Amino acid sequence: TRTQNNVPVYKEPTTGVVVNGTMTTTVADASTTFSGLTLSMYRATVTVNYTYRNRSYSFSMSTIRSSDI
């Protein structure tokens, strides 16, 4: 897990105020076994939290990667 603070999320076009947030990246082992064979997979999840106009927001995206061979 890696956390980065003060990541620019949005710039208000009329005032030029920059909204910063916190981005957390997590990589987890999602391997599974089928018929005695292990398929190595990893899941990466990125979550961004920020506050804009006194409201808190959070969004997350994830992907899974496995070997090509």
Side-chain angles (χ1 to χ4, degrees), residues 25-30 42-46 60-65:
T25 304
T26 304
V27 177
D29 187 353
Y42 295 93
R43 179 180 57 248
T45 305
V46 177
S60 181
M61 298 180 81
S62 64
T63 187
I64 294 180
R65 173 78 175 151

Side-chain angles (χ1 to χ4, degrees), residues 6-60:
N6 298 318
V7 175
V9 175
Y10 174 73
K11 182 177 179 180
E12 181 68 48
T14 56
T15 63
V17 173
V18 176
V19 177
N20 291 317
T22 301
M23 180 174 66
T24 304
T25 304
T26 304
V27 177
D29 187 353
S31 298
T32 189
T33 302
F34 294 105
S35 301
L37 299 172
T38 300
L39 175 61
S40 297
M41 296 187 298
Y42 295 93
R43 179 180 57 248
T45 305
V46 177
T47 304
V48 175
N49 297 297
Y50 64 98
T51 301
Y52 178 66
R53 294 187 176 183
N54 296 322
R55 292 191 65 184
S56 295
Y57 296 91
S58 178
F59 66 91
S60 181

